[in-house]
Amino acid sequence: MATKCSNPVIDFHDFPNQLPKMMAACEEWGCFRLINIHEVLPSLLMTEMKSVVRSLFDLPVEIKRRNLGVIAESGYVAPTATNPLYESLGLYDLASSGDVEKFCSQLDATPHQKEVITKYVGAIRELSIKIGEKLTKGLGVKGEDVAFENWSGQFRINKYHFTHESVGCSGIQIHTDSSFLTILQDDDGVGALEVHKSSSFIPVYLEECENTVINALELVQARVARGREKGKDKKKKAEEAKQCKFPKFLRIFLDIMATKCSIPVIDFHDFPNQLPKMMVACEEWGCFRLINIHEVLPSLLMTEMKSVVRSLFDLPAEIKRRNIDVIAESGYVPPTATNPLYESLGLYDFASSGDVEKFCSKLDATPHQNGLHIFVHLWEVITKYVGAIRELSIKIGEKLTKGLGVKGEDVAFENWSGQFRINKYHFTRESVGCSGVQIHTDSGFLTILQDDDGVGGLEVHKSGRFIPVYVDPWPNTVVVNLDDLAKLWSNGRLHSVKHRVQCNEATTRLSFASFLVGPREGEAIEPLAQLVDVDHPPLYVPTTYAEYRKLRFSTNLHTGEALELLHTPSSEN
């Protein structure tokens, strides 16, 4: 992804050509952004580590306090009255397998979390050694004179509890770091890190630089460079509510932060307080971004599902074609001459264990993914994910019911079926500015979309124009869209949102859409009886999801006009 970065950018894949540029950055700035590091620090590992970090900070405080410091502030640092915004966990020596084991044990890390942490600190140690060696070479010093592989390194993960009231405040005060060099995997969703140069503070980036790291030099001046390199002053500002991030040291960090969003944001963890805000979003926008969903849909599961989806789309076309339709376009949709950018796979009913099993069986990737254990993992992740997404869709439906003033027992969402689709957009330079999916409303009741947290493109229609769903990516959240049948069901109160996917850059975009569509037994959906009275007659005639979908296809009306064909005679007077 192309980005705009306000500090020097060094291509790790282009050494020794980049060495003069890196040395200039070290002498003039004391920091630089390092790109193309995937051969040492894979992008998937960086993403998985972020998910692990979020889960560690979600632990009860009594468990986090087990992370005792070896030296001052090398273990758990809790928010304080002096700095209520900052929280941190620490691993004393990432070069020590015993310290890594101790860190994982203190925090009750699961086997998977331990595996990710171990791989991550191993990769980051290797990267820090390589950077040290390049610095040595750039200074004209023989590499054998400095044995970086014998150096220790600390690792810290940081979380910033930024609020609306703290906007403009510092999450960490101005400082230099006290070690040799810092490798920072900063939050690819939101800026806040600033460096001091030429008597002013400069934001480290203008746009997200996903899967890259920042290097800041600290004791280089005293230890190696004899006064040539500069340590940089740094500060963090609270630019958005609920920001958090991750760093690294030879020393290493990892911070997690919230992002800017152009549609309403609803905090799932803050109900019933959020209910009025959600209802306004549903009536005026027809969509919202849902955050803090990890208790129902864990961050790690969302990351694992993305990996599974990538592997499914990498299957040969003959295997993907086994994913046949139950109804029109419910199975595999290959790229076509009409739309060469879009490809999709579908699971007909995620509420049916048989359908889930059938979906996994059809896409049996065993011959292509090094053994049966990979297929078992695929099946396990898909099953867990659709189960969690079904639970989340039921909970959202129940909150909508409550927001409309309807008794929950009158709508049994647990008996509703739901479809699941995974989408891939093959965006190219030539397709920039084109649509990956044309303007439409969804035909079911509600859609939960895990959009690509690295690539934008989703836009919603409001007040006569299309609005990008987010300004910055927001990992581990979902977008909730209300569909045509929600508008019918609410007797016109809820808004069915028009949306599209635009190609903004030459890259691959993934998304997973889960549709709650209606009662499994084919029962008709009609305006809720509690919302109908003399002053509010029913606006629409009853219909089933299958009947309405057939109507949309037969009329080729996909932007909500088909619903207008179901108006009752009284509503047209």
Side-chain angles (χ1 to χ4, degrees), residues 417-447:
S417 62
Q419 297 180 14
F420 178 68
R421 295 205 67 76
I422 56 177
N423 308 311
K424 183 176 183 180
Y425 300 89
H426 302 265
F427 290 156
T428 63
R429 293 184 187 277
E430 293 72 26
S431 65
V432 171
C434 299
S435 290
V437 170
Q438 297 298 321
I439 303 168
H440 66 288
T441 58
D442 291 330
S443 55
F445 179 78
L446 67 82
T447 302

PDB file of all heavy atoms in Angstrom, residues 417-447:
ATOM      1  N   SER A 417     -32.218 -17.849  10.082  1.00  0.00           N
ATOM      2  CA  SER A 417     -31.065 -18.348   9.336  1.00  0.00           C
ATOM      3  C   SER A 417     -30.176 -17.176   8.922  1.00  0.00           C
ATOM      4  O   SER A 417     -30.577 -16.009   8.975  1.00  0.00           O
ATOM      5  CB  SER A 417     -31.511 -19.126   8.094  1.00  0.00           C
ATOM      6  OG  SER A 417     -32.232 -18.281   7.216  1.00  0.00           O
ATOM      7  N   GLY A 418     -28.966 -17.511   8.524  1.00  0.00           N
ATOM      8  CA  GLY A 418     -28.033 -16.471   8.116  1.00  0.00           C
ATOM      9  C   GLY A 418     -27.079 -16.977   7.060  1.00  0.00           C
ATOM     10  O   GLY A 418     -26.636 -18.130   7.109  1.00  0.00           O
ATOM     11  N   GLN A 419     -26.774 -16.146   6.106  1.00  0.00           N
ATOM     12  CA  GLN A 419     -25.827 -16.503   5.060  1.00  0.00           C
ATOM     13  C   GLN A 419     -24.472 -15.858   5.338  1.00  0.00           C
ATOM     14  O   GLN A 419     -24.390 -14.830   6.012  1.00  0.00           O
ATOM     15  CB  GLN A 419     -26.362 -16.092   3.692  1.00  0.00           C
ATOM     16  CG  GLN A 419     -27.636 -16.826   3.320  1.00  0.00           C
ATOM     17  CD  GLN A 419     -28.180 -16.422   1.969  1.00  0.00           C
ATOM     18  OE1 GLN A 419     -27.501 -15.791   1.172  1.00  0.00           O
ATOM     19  NE2 GLN A 419     -29.429 -16.790   1.715  1.00  0.00           N
ATOM     20  N   PHE A 420     -23.429 -16.467   4.812  1.00  0.00           N
ATOM     21  CA  PHE A 420     -22.068 -16.008   5.051  1.00  0.00           C
ATOM     22  C   PHE A 420     -21.318 -15.982   3.733  1.00  0.00           C
ATOM     23  O   PHE A 420     -21.329 -16.965   2.981  1.00  0.00           O
ATOM     24  CB  PHE A 420     -21.382 -16.964   6.032  1.00  0.00           C
ATOM     25  CG  PHE A 420     -19.946 -16.617   6.315  1.00  0.00           C
ATOM     26  CD1 PHE A 420     -19.618 -15.467   7.020  1.00  0.00           C
ATOM     27  CD2 PHE A 420     -18.922 -17.449   5.891  1.00  0.00           C
ATOM     28  CE1 PHE A 420     -18.297 -15.155   7.289  1.00  0.00           C
ATOM     29  CE2 PHE A 420     -17.602 -17.145   6.152  1.00  0.00           C
ATOM     30  CZ  PHE A 420     -17.292 -15.994   6.857  1.00  0.00           C
ATOM     31  N   ARG A 421     -20.707 -14.834   3.427  1.00  0.00           N
ATOM     32  CA  ARG A 421     -19.941 -14.718   2.183  1.00  0.00           C
ATOM     33  C   ARG A 421     -18.570 -14.126   2.471  1.00  0.00           C
ATOM     34  O   ARG A 421     -18.426 -13.218   3.295  1.00  0.00           O
ATOM     35  CB  ARG A 421     -20.647 -13.819   1.162  1.00  0.00           C
ATOM     36  CG  ARG A 421     -21.968 -14.371   0.662  1.00  0.00           C
ATOM     37  CD  ARG A 421     -22.314 -13.832  -0.713  1.00  0.00           C
ATOM     38  NE  ARG A 421     -21.410 -14.296  -1.737  1.00  0.00           N
ATOM     39  CZ  ARG A 421     -21.418 -15.521  -2.270  1.00  0.00           C
ATOM     40  NH1 ARG A 421     -22.285 -16.423  -1.858  1.00  0.00           N
ATOM     41  NH2 ARG A 421     -20.545 -15.845  -3.203  1.00  0.00           N
ATOM     42  N   ILE A 422     -17.570 -14.670   1.786  1.00  0.00           N
ATOM     43  CA  ILE A 422     -16.227 -14.088   1.842  1.00  0.00           C
ATOM     44  C   ILE A 422     -15.911 -13.537   0.458  1.00  0.00           C
ATOM     45  O   ILE A 422     -16.145 -14.180  -0.567  1.00  0.00           O
ATOM     46  CB  ILE A 422     -15.180 -15.118   2.311  1.00  0.00           C
ATOM     47  CG1 ILE A 422     -15.182 -16.361   1.431  1.00  0.00           C
ATOM     48  CG2 ILE A 422     -15.432 -15.502   3.753  1.00  0.00           C
ATOM     49  CD1 ILE A 422     -14.115 -17.379   1.812  1.00  0.00           C
ATOM     50  N   ASN A 423     -15.426 -12.319   0.441  1.00  0.00           N
ATOM     51  CA  ASN A 423     -15.240 -11.587  -0.806  1.00  0.00           C
ATOM     52  C   ASN A 423     -13.783 -11.214  -1.016  1.00  0.00           C
ATOM     53  O   ASN A 423     -13.084 -10.858  -0.070  1.00  0.00           O
ATOM     54  CB  ASN A 423     -16.065 -10.292  -0.781  1.00  0.00           C
ATOM     55  CG  ASN A 423     -17.517 -10.536  -0.427  1.00  0.00           C
ATOM     56  OD1 ASN A 423     -18.173 -11.395  -0.992  1.00  0.00           O
ATOM     57  ND2 ASN A 423     -18.012  -9.789   0.555  1.00  0.00           N
ATOM     58  N   LYS A 424     -13.364 -11.263  -2.271  1.00  0.00           N
ATOM     59  CA  LYS A 424     -12.014 -10.840  -2.634  1.00  0.00           C
ATOM     60  C   LYS A 424     -12.104  -9.897  -3.833  1.00  0.00           C
ATOM     61  O   LYS A 424     -12.779 -10.185  -4.818  1.00  0.00           O
ATOM     62  CB  LYS A 424     -11.136 -12.045  -2.981  1.00  0.00           C
ATOM     63  CG  LYS A 424      -9.691 -11.677  -3.299  1.00  0.00           C
ATOM     64  CD  LYS A 424      -8.844 -12.928  -3.533  1.00  0.00           C
ATOM     65  CE  LYS A 424      -7.396 -12.580  -3.784  1.00  0.00           C
ATOM     66  NZ  LYS A 424      -6.570 -13.799  -4.000  1.00  0.00           N
ATOM     67  N   TYR A 425     -11.419  -8.769  -3.707  1.00  0.00           N
ATOM     68  CA  TYR A 425     -11.409  -7.767  -4.776  1.00  0.00           C
ATOM     69  C   TYR A 425     -10.003  -7.713  -5.366  1.00  0.00           C
ATOM     70  O   TYR A 425      -9.033  -7.418  -4.663  1.00  0.00           O
ATOM     71  CB  TYR A 425     -11.812  -6.396  -4.230  1.00  0.00           C
ATOM     72  CG  TYR A 425     -13.197  -6.395  -3.639  1.00  0.00           C
ATOM     73  CD1 TYR A 425     -13.398  -6.697  -2.295  1.00  0.00           C
ATOM     74  CD2 TYR A 425     -14.318  -6.113  -4.417  1.00  0.00           C
ATOM     75  CE1 TYR A 425     -14.668  -6.722  -1.746  1.00  0.00           C
ATOM     76  CE2 TYR A 425     -15.586  -6.130  -3.876  1.00  0.00           C
ATOM     77  CZ  TYR A 425     -15.760  -6.438  -2.543  1.00  0.00           C
ATOM     78  OH  TYR A 425     -17.025  -6.463  -1.998  1.00  0.00           O
ATOM     79  N   HIS A 426      -9.909  -8.011  -6.669  1.00  0.00           N
ATOM     80  CA  HIS A 426      -8.625  -8.043  -7.357  1.00  0.00           C
ATOM     81  C   HIS A 426      -8.346  -6.663  -7.968  1.00  0.00           C
ATOM     82  O   HIS A 426      -8.409  -6.470  -9.185  1.00  0.00           O
ATOM     83  CB  HIS A 426      -8.640  -9.107  -8.455  1.00  0.00           C
ATOM     84  CG  HIS A 426      -8.937 -10.484  -7.963  1.00  0.00           C
ATOM     85  ND1 HIS A 426      -7.960 -11.406  -7.640  1.00  0.00           N
ATOM     86  CD2 HIS A 426     -10.123 -11.120  -7.720  1.00  0.00           C
ATOM     87  CE1 HIS A 426      -8.514 -12.530  -7.238  1.00  0.00           C
ATOM     88  NE2 HIS A 426      -9.830 -12.388  -7.276  1.00  0.00           N
ATOM     89  N   PHE A 427      -8.054  -5.690  -7.128  1.00  0.00           N
ATOM     90  CA  PHE A 427      -7.868  -4.332  -7.609  1.00  0.00           C
ATOM     91  C   PHE A 427      -6.494  -4.181  -8.272  1.00  0.00           C
ATOM     92  O   PHE A 427      -5.487  -4.690  -7.774  1.00  0.00           O
ATOM     93  CB  PHE A 427      -7.997  -3.338  -6.462  1.00  0.00           C
ATOM     94  CG  PHE A 427      -9.401  -3.197  -5.926  1.00  0.00           C
ATOM     95  CD1 PHE A 427      -9.624  -2.760  -4.633  1.00  0.00           C
ATOM     96  CD2 PHE A 427     -10.501  -3.503  -6.722  1.00  0.00           C
ATOM     97  CE1 PHE A 427     -10.915  -2.615  -4.135  1.00  0.00           C
ATOM     98  CE2 PHE A 427     -11.790  -3.371  -6.230  1.00  0.00           C
ATOM     99  CZ  PHE A 427     -12.000  -2.929  -4.942  1.00  0.00           C
ATOM    100  N   THR A 428      -6.477  -3.466  -9.399  1.00  0.00           N
ATOM    101  CA  THR A 428      -5.251  -3.213 -10.152  1.00  0.00           C
ATOM    102  C   THR A 428      -5.098  -1.710 -10.363  1.00  0.00           C
ATOM    103  O   THR A 428      -6.007  -0.930 -10.077  1.00  0.00           O
ATOM    104  CB  THR A 428      -5.307  -3.899 -11.522  1.00  0.00           C
ATOM    105  OG1 THR A 428      -6.389  -3.327 -12.293  1.00  0.00           O
ATOM    106  CG2 THR A 428      -5.562  -5.395 -11.381  1.00  0.00           C
ATOM    107  N   ARG A 429      -3.958  -1.311 -10.905  1.00  0.00           N
ATOM    108  CA  ARG A 429      -3.756   0.108 -11.206  1.00  0.00           C
ATOM    109  C   ARG A 429      -4.805   0.603 -12.185  1.00  0.00           C
ATOM    110  O   ARG A 429      -5.288   1.741 -12.095  1.00  0.00           O
ATOM    111  CB  ARG A 429      -2.353   0.330 -11.794  1.00  0.00           C
ATOM    112  CG  ARG A 429      -1.233   0.080 -10.801  1.00  0.00           C
ATOM    113  CD  ARG A 429       0.131   0.405 -11.418  1.00  0.00           C
ATOM    114  NE  ARG A 429       1.212   0.018 -10.535  1.00  0.00           N
ATOM    115  CZ  ARG A 429       1.656   0.755  -9.538  1.00  0.00           C
ATOM    116  NH1 ARG A 429       1.107   1.938  -9.309  1.00  0.00           N
ATOM    117  NH2 ARG A 429       2.643   0.339  -8.765  1.00  0.00           N
ATOM    118  N   GLU A 430      -5.155  -0.268 -13.149  1.00  0.00           N
ATOM    119  CA  GLU A 430      -6.119   0.133 -14.174  1.00  0.00           C
ATOM    120  C   GLU A 430      -7.525   0.282 -13.614  1.00  0.00           C
ATOM    121  O   GLU A 430      -8.362   0.981 -14.187  1.00  0.00           O
ATOM    122  CB  GLU A 430      -6.125  -0.906 -15.313  1.00  0.00           C
ATOM    123  CG  GLU A 430      -4.839  -0.986 -16.128  1.00  0.00           C
ATOM    124  CD  GLU A 430      -3.679  -1.630 -15.385  1.00  0.00           C
ATOM    125  OE1 GLU A 430      -3.945  -2.458 -14.467  1.00  0.00           O
ATOM    126  OE2 GLU A 430      -2.514  -1.300 -15.707  1.00  0.00           O
ATOM    127  N   SER A 431      -7.799  -0.384 -12.483  1.00  0.00           N
ATOM    128  CA  SER A 431      -9.161  -0.360 -11.943  1.00  0.00           C
ATOM    129  C   SER A 431      -9.376   0.729 -10.894  1.00  0.00           C
ATOM    130  O   SER A 431     -10.476   0.865 -10.374  1.00  0.00           O
ATOM    131  CB  SER A 431      -9.510  -1.722 -11.330  1.00  0.00           C
ATOM    132  OG  SER A 431      -8.702  -1.994 -10.205  1.00  0.00           O
ATOM    133  N   VAL A 432      -8.326   1.488 -10.566  1.00  0.00           N
ATOM    134  CA  VAL A 432      -8.482   2.557  -9.579  1.00  0.00           C
ATOM    135  C   VAL A 432      -9.563   3.535 -10.051  1.00  0.00           C
ATOM    136  O   VAL A 432      -9.540   4.006 -11.191  1.00  0.00           O
ATOM    137  CB  VAL A 432      -7.154   3.302  -9.340  1.00  0.00           C
ATOM    138  CG1 VAL A 432      -7.370   4.543  -8.475  1.00  0.00           C
ATOM    139  CG2 VAL A 432      -6.139   2.375  -8.678  1.00  0.00           C
ATOM    140  N   GLY A 433     -10.532   3.798  -9.168  1.00  0.00           N
ATOM    141  CA  GLY A 433     -11.660   4.659  -9.519  1.00  0.00           C
ATOM    142  C   GLY A 433     -12.889   3.889  -9.956  1.00  0.00           C
ATOM    143  O   GLY A 433     -13.982   4.461 -10.057  1.00  0.00           O
ATOM    144  N   CYS A 434     -12.723   2.579 -10.201  1.00  0.00           N
ATOM    145  CA  CYS A 434     -13.866   1.745 -10.611  1.00  0.00           C
ATOM    146  C   CYS A 434     -14.528   1.121  -9.378  1.00  0.00           C
ATOM    147  O   CYS A 434     -14.001   1.147  -8.274  1.00  0.00           O
ATOM    148  CB  CYS A 434     -13.396   0.624 -11.545  1.00  0.00           C
ATOM    149  SG  CYS A 434     -12.633   1.209 -13.072  1.00  0.00           S
ATOM    150  N   SER A 435     -15.711   0.530  -9.597  1.00  0.00           N
ATOM    151  CA  SER A 435     -16.444  -0.132  -8.515  1.00  0.00           C
ATOM    152  C   SER A 435     -16.120  -1.611  -8.487  1.00  0.00           C
ATOM    153  O   SER A 435     -16.164  -2.295  -9.522  1.00  0.00           O
ATOM    154  CB  SER A 435     -17.950   0.056  -8.693  1.00  0.00           C
ATOM    155  OG  SER A 435     -18.312   1.396  -8.467  1.00  0.00           O
ATOM    156  N   GLY A 436     -15.803  -2.121  -7.298  1.00  0.00           N
ATOM    157  CA  GLY A 436     -15.651  -3.557  -7.124  1.00  0.00           C
ATOM    158  C   GLY A 436     -17.004  -4.221  -6.976  1.00  0.00           C
ATOM    159  O   GLY A 436     -17.216  -5.349  -7.403  1.00  0.00           O
ATOM    160  N   VAL A 437     -17.943  -3.515  -6.340  1.00  0.00           N
ATOM    161  CA  VAL A 437     -19.350  -3.923  -6.245  1.00  0.00           C
ATOM    162  C   VAL A 437     -20.197  -2.680  -6.473  1.00  0.00           C
ATOM    163  O   VAL A 437     -19.942  -1.634  -5.882  1.00  0.00           O
ATOM    164  CB  VAL A 437     -19.673  -4.546  -4.868  1.00  0.00           C
ATOM    165  CG1 VAL A 437     -21.168  -4.734  -4.701  1.00  0.00           C
ATOM    166  CG2 VAL A 437     -18.974  -5.892  -4.704  1.00  0.00           C
ATOM    167  N   GLN A 438     -21.205  -2.801  -7.322  1.00  0.00           N
ATOM    168  CA  GLN A 438     -22.043  -1.662  -7.668  1.00  0.00           C
ATOM    169  C   GLN A 438     -22.927  -1.245  -6.490  1.00  0.00           C
ATOM    170  O   GLN A 438     -23.084  -1.961  -5.506  1.00  0.00           O
ATOM    171  CB  GLN A 438     -22.935  -2.008  -8.877  1.00  0.00           C
ATOM    172  CG  GLN A 438     -22.160  -2.316 -10.154  1.00  0.00           C
ATOM    173  CD  GLN A 438     -21.349  -1.129 -10.634  1.00  0.00           C
ATOM    174  OE1 GLN A 438     -21.795   0.013 -10.554  1.00  0.00           O
ATOM    175  NE2 GLN A 438     -20.148  -1.385 -11.125  1.00  0.00           N
ATOM    176  N   ILE A 439     -23.520  -0.068  -6.605  1.00  0.00           N
ATOM    177  CA  ILE A 439     -24.420   0.463  -5.586  1.00  0.00           C
ATOM    178  C   ILE A 439     -25.566  -0.512  -5.342  1.00  0.00           C
ATOM    179  O   ILE A 439     -26.195  -0.988  -6.288  1.00  0.00           O
ATOM    180  CB  ILE A 439     -24.982   1.825  -6.018  1.00  0.00           C
ATOM    181  CG1 ILE A 439     -23.853   2.810  -6.316  1.00  0.00           C
ATOM    182  CG2 ILE A 439     -25.910   2.397  -4.954  1.00  0.00           C
ATOM    183  CD1 ILE A 439     -24.325   4.080  -7.019  1.00  0.00           C
ATOM    184  N   HIS A 440     -25.843  -0.804  -4.077  1.00  0.00           N
ATOM    185  CA  HIS A 440     -26.935  -1.722  -3.752  1.00  0.00           C
ATOM    186  C   HIS A 440     -27.308  -1.576  -2.282  1.00  0.00           C
ATOM    187  O   HIS A 440     -26.570  -0.990  -1.485  1.00  0.00           O
ATOM    188  CB  HIS A 440     -26.528  -3.174  -4.027  1.00  0.00           C
ATOM    189  CG  HIS A 440     -25.421  -3.683  -3.137  1.00  0.00           C
ATOM    190  ND1 HIS A 440     -24.109  -3.270  -3.262  1.00  0.00           N
ATOM    191  CD2 HIS A 440     -25.431  -4.554  -2.085  1.00  0.00           C
ATOM    192  CE1 HIS A 440     -23.359  -3.861  -2.353  1.00  0.00           C
ATOM    193  NE2 HIS A 440     -24.144  -4.648  -1.614  1.00  0.00           N
ATOM    194  N   THR A 441     -28.464  -2.085  -1.927  1.00  0.00           N
ATOM    195  CA  THR A 441     -28.801  -2.374  -0.540  1.00  0.00           C
ATOM    196  C   THR A 441     -28.755  -3.879  -0.394  1.00  0.00           C
ATOM    197  O   THR A 441     -28.863  -4.612  -1.382  1.00  0.00           O
ATOM    198  CB  THR A 441     -30.200  -1.864  -0.151  1.00  0.00           C
ATOM    199  OG1 THR A 441     -31.167  -2.464  -1.037  1.00  0.00           O
ATOM    200  CG2 THR A 441     -30.287  -0.344  -0.257  1.00  0.00           C
ATOM    201  N   ASP A 442     -28.598  -4.379   0.817  1.00  0.00           N
ATOM    202  CA  ASP A 442     -28.650  -5.823   1.029  1.00  0.00           C
ATOM    203  C   ASP A 442     -30.104  -6.232   1.228  1.00  0.00           C
ATOM    204  O   ASP A 442     -30.922  -5.470   1.742  1.00  0.00           O
ATOM    205  CB  ASP A 442     -27.790  -6.227   2.225  1.00  0.00           C
ATOM    206  CG  ASP A 442     -26.298  -6.045   1.941  1.00  0.00           C
ATOM    207  OD1 ASP A 442     -25.901  -6.171   0.764  1.00  0.00           O
ATOM    208  OD2 ASP A 442     -25.539  -5.772   2.886  1.00  0.00           O
ATOM    209  N   SER A 443     -30.415  -7.456   0.837  1.00  0.00           N
ATOM    210  CA  SER A 443     -31.817  -7.871   0.777  1.00  0.00           C
ATOM    211  C   SER A 443     -32.319  -8.548   2.041  1.00  0.00           C
ATOM    212  O   SER A 443     -33.520  -8.793   2.167  1.00  0.00           O
ATOM    213  CB  SER A 443     -32.034  -8.810  -0.411  1.00  0.00           C
ATOM    214  OG  SER A 443     -31.143  -9.910  -0.357  1.00  0.00           O
ATOM    215  N   GLY A 444     -31.432  -8.853   2.986  1.00  0.00           N
ATOM    216  CA  GLY A 444     -31.853  -9.541   4.197  1.00  0.00           C
ATOM    217  C   GLY A 444     -32.295  -8.585   5.290  1.00  0.00           C
ATOM    218  O   GLY A 444     -32.914  -7.548   5.031  1.00  0.00           O
ATOM    219  N   PHE A 445     -31.956  -8.944   6.543  1.00  0.00           N
ATOM    220  CA  PHE A 445     -32.378  -8.157   7.691  1.00  0.00           C
ATOM    221  C   PHE A 445     -31.244  -7.265   8.203  1.00  0.00           C
ATOM    222  O   PHE A 445     -31.397  -6.061   8.362  1.00  0.00           O
ATOM    223  CB  PHE A 445     -32.850  -9.103   8.802  1.00  0.00           C
ATOM    224  CG  PHE A 445     -33.299  -8.397  10.047  1.00  0.00           C
ATOM    225  CD1 PHE A 445     -34.549  -7.797  10.107  1.00  0.00           C
ATOM    226  CD2 PHE A 445     -32.480  -8.316  11.167  1.00  0.00           C
ATOM    227  CE1 PHE A 445     -34.966  -7.130  11.254  1.00  0.00           C
ATOM    228  CE2 PHE A 445     -32.882  -7.668  12.311  1.00  0.00           C
ATOM    229  CZ  PHE A 445     -34.136  -7.067  12.356  1.00  0.00           C
ATOM    230  N   LEU A 446     -30.090  -7.867   8.464  1.00  0.00           N
ATOM    231  CA  LEU A 446     -28.913  -7.062   8.807  1.00  0.00           C
ATOM    232  C   LEU A 446     -27.660  -7.782   8.344  1.00  0.00           C
ATOM    233  O   LEU A 446     -27.627  -9.007   8.224  1.00  0.00           O
ATOM    234  CB  LEU A 446     -28.854  -6.728  10.305  1.00  0.00           C
ATOM    235  CG  LEU A 446     -28.636  -7.804  11.365  1.00  0.00           C
ATOM    236  CD1 LEU A 446     -27.158  -8.177  11.531  1.00  0.00           C
ATOM    237  CD2 LEU A 446     -29.156  -7.327  12.710  1.00  0.00           C
ATOM    238  N   THR A 447     -26.632  -6.991   8.090  1.00  0.00           N
ATOM    239  CA  THR A 447     -25.352  -7.499   7.619  1.00  0.00           C
ATOM    240  C   THR A 447     -24.265  -7.103   8.605  1.00  0.00           C
ATOM    241  O   THR A 447     -24.199  -5.948   9.029  1.00  0.00           O
ATOM    242  CB  THR A 447     -25.003  -6.924   6.239  1.00  0.00           C
ATOM    243  OG1 THR A 447     -26.032  -7.247   5.305  1.00  0.00           O
ATOM    244  CG2 THR A 447     -23.674  -7.470   5.727  1.00  0.00           C
TER     245      THR A 447
END
